[in-house]
Every structure is written in structure tokens, then in C-alpha cells.
Amino acid sequence: MIDKNDVMKILSEIDDPELRRPLTELDMVKSVEIDGGHVKIGISLTIPGCPLRQKISDDVLTKVGQLPGVEKVEVDFGVMSEEQRKNLLNRLHGSQNAAAGTHNEKPAGAFAKRVIAVASGKGGVGKSTVTSNLAAALSKMGHKVAVLDADVYGFSIPRILGLSGTPTIIDENIVPLRKGNIQVISMGFFVEEDAPVIWRGPLLHKAINQFLTDVLWDKSDFLMLDLPPGTGDVTLTIAQALPNAELLVVTTPQPVASHTAGRVAKLAEKTNLKVLGVIENMAYYEINGTRQYIFGKDGGKNLATELKVPFLGQIPIMTEIREAADAGLPMAFSDHDDIARYYLDIAEAIVRMKL
Ligand code: ADP
């Protein structure tokens, strides 16, 4: 005789592939009917065209099929009622921040213990590559990481993290995409790659705030924000929405990069964002054991001294770093330890600098 409790127990070990929580916890198990060795399971999907229903079906068929005495398993899909979906969303938002009231009252970014905004003075200095690699390094170290690509005009996080596709939206709530354990949201998931994004201040402000409040983020240790280059509206939006955010400054050693990066850091300080430190990217190129200082020497280090903030490290110019970013698998994920180490060392320093 098959026990319904055993079936429920097995179902509690199966996660919804997008929401990453057990089907039972999400109230997706509508019914369990047992007739001899025949088990019929009713599953309520969050939205009708759930793209991952096949995966849910396969998981249920395999797992329940392994129970002793089970001869045949059937999965019957239905869709949650509006009421059920509302309850589920409330619960998901609630678990982001159990202490807060309704989801609209929830402080932005409350789901993350630390919010780290990555800034640069100008484009092309490797800010997004650093953000992605640090996210990978922190994840590798066992931390739960979320990445919000706030570089709405020049988004490149999807490409560097090798993510494409459109996030599922459940009643205006966006389910982030994932790279391994890293949750990711980018404007790039919602617009064509070469379509121009022409939003101005207020709309931009709204988009960023929406990404902070309407995304079903899991509780995380770190939220990494990839800011647009320069001292634009987005930096101010972030400072307003996330007053506890810490700013990480990325620059090359070149004066034109470090001076503009200095301006961003000073603006951040004016808006009371704490500047965590400076990272010098493209610090040198090593050939036959000799370092070539292509973009000048120590620009980042000097900027840190000037700002009186920690200098967090230098990352050399390396073909492998560029290739890995282009291939959608940042170097910090790789077992190539001598290169991944540049990012792991900085990530470790950031963890130690807990405020
Ligand atoms: P930003 O976000 O500042 O505009 P990106 O992260 O997109 O800059 O980097 C610009 C280019 O430089 C990309 O092609 C990237 O792969 C490359 N890059 C970044 N850091 C390095 C590095 N340390 N070594 C080699 N190439 C790098």
C-alpha cells in the first residue's frame, strides 16, 4: 500500500526549477490520488505557459516512480487561481524580508545582506568584467550572490555570464535568470541586444527601482550592482534607493580613467555611500616575465590614496580574461587558479571588510 505521506515527502524534495523552492512549499501540489500502484499527481503551475513544465514533469515522474510499490505515475497540470498566485507571491516577497510589511513597504534591496555597487569613471575599463568575476568568486566561496545589471544603456552582464532568454513574469513579478547559483537581472533580458535604450532620468529611476522591488530575488549575501560609467542618474537613484550600498571603484591606471573615477567616488561620498575601495584593472601586461605598463602605472593605487580608501588589488591585462568573458564563463569560475586568484583575493578582502 503506497502511503500518501511518502509521496508528499518525495514531492517536498523536488524544487520548482525557476523559483528554486520545493513544490510542496509553493503549494503547487494540488492533489495526490493513489489507486493500487497507480499514482496521479495534480500540479498547479504559476502561469499557463510555464516554460519549465517538462522539467517538473520529468522530476515528478522519476522521483515518485522510485517509491516502492509504484507501477505508474501520471502528472496532471493545471494553473493556479489568481488568489493562489497572490498568496504565493506574498509569501515569496515575504521571505525576502520577513520583518517588513507588504511587499510595497519592503525596503529596496532588503533581500541582500550587503549591496555592492561597482562604478567606473568611463566605459571600457573592465567594470562589468570585474563585477561578473567578483560575483563568480563570491559564489565559488559559498556565498549567495545576486547581480543587478544597472548599466541599462551598455548592459554586458548577460553576455559575460553567458545568459540569454526572457525571465518568466508572474503577475508583474520577475523571476531572475541564474548562472549556477548566481541570480541575474539585466535590461538585456528585456530588449533586443542592438536596440537603443533611450530612457531618461525618471523612467530610468523607475526601471532600477522596479528591478529592486519587483524581482523575486532569493535572500542573498551579496547583491552586486553593475552601474553605468560616470556620475549619472543611476548612481543617484542607487544612493537614494539603497542608502547602505557600498561603492567599489574600478579604474585602469590611465589618468583619464582614474580622474573620472575619482569624481564618481566623491559624488558617492556626498550622497553618503560608503566607498569600499579601488580596484586597478588592466594594470599591466606581462610578457616574458617583464611587466609592460600599457596604461601607465599605479593610477588606481594613487586614486585609493587620494580618496583615503583601501586599494583592493591589481588585475593584469590577460588574453584569458577577455576570452573567458567573451565565452560567457568568467575566469573566476575556472580551475585556472593563478588567474582566478586575482578575483578571489579581492573577493576575500571584500568579505573581510564587513561593515
Ligand atoms: P566596462 O564595463 O568598464 O565598459 P568591460 O567589462 O565590458 O568594461 O570590458 C571592456 C573590454 O575589456 C571587454 O572586452 C573585456 O573582455 C576586456 N577586459 C576587461 N578586463 C580585462 C583584463 N583584465 N584583461 C583583458 N581584457 C579585459
Side-chain angles (χ1 to χ4, degrees), residues 115-175:
V115 179
I116 297 182
V118 186
S120 68
K122 67 190 270 299
V125 300
K127 170 182 52 62
S128 303
T129 309
V130 168
T131 308
S132 305
N133 273 289
L134 288 181
L138 288 165
S139 167
K140 213 169 165 181
M141 287 157 64
H143 299 286
K144 288 191 82 175
V145 185
V147 178
L148 169 51
D149 183 359
D151 192 349
V152 276
Y153 299 116
F155 51 82
S156 50
I157 294 286
R159 194 173 270 256
I160 302 175
L161 285 177
L163 284 170
S164 60
T166 315
T168 297
I169 298 182
I170 309 171
D171 293 353
E172 297 179 8
N173 293 267
I174 307 161
V175 184

Side-chain angles (χ1 to χ4, degrees), residues 67-110:
L67 277 174
V70 173
E71 288 156 16
K72 185 175 171 209
V73 188
E74 250 186 277
V75 183
D76 182 20
F77 283 110
V79 181
M80 286 187 178
S81 68
E82 210 172 300
E83 183 70 22
Q84 285 172 317
R85 211 165 36 236
K86 222 163 95 191
N87 287 339
L88 169 67
L89 291 168
N90 274 342
R91 205 139 17 102
L92 290 173
H93 278 297
S95 69
Q96 287 176 359
N97 180 24
T102 67
H103 118 241
N104 290 334
E105 293 162 18
K106 177 169 60 73

Side-chain angles (χ1 to χ4, degrees), residues 123-129 156 281-282 315-318 321-322 325:
V125 300
K127 170 182 52 62
S128 303
T129 309
S156 50
N281 190 38
M282 309 189 186
I315 302 159
I317 301 173
M318 298 186 87
I321 292 177
R322 200 271 305 150

Side-chain angles (χ1 to χ4, degrees), residues 208-274:
I208 299 288
N209 275 308
Q210 221 163 10
F211 281 163
L212 289 167
T213 51
D214 294 350
V215 171
L216 291 168
W217 298 107
D218 276 355
K219 264 187 168 225
S220 304
D221 299 306
F222 291 92
L223 167 63
M224 308 286 300
L225 284 159
D226 191 29
L227 296 179
T231 52
D233 291 335
V234 174
T235 314
L236 292 171
T237 297
I238 299 293
Q240 264 172 22
L242 301 164
N244 294 327
E246 306 163 56
L247 195 88
L248 201 55
V249 179
V250 178
T251 182
T252 63
Q254 206 173 359
V256 64
S258 63
H259 288 163
T260 46
R263 281 211 293 276
V264 176
K266 282 168 196 155
L267 173 87
E269 277 173 345
K270 274 209 181 100
T271 56
N272 289 328
L273 286 182
K274 185 190 158 72

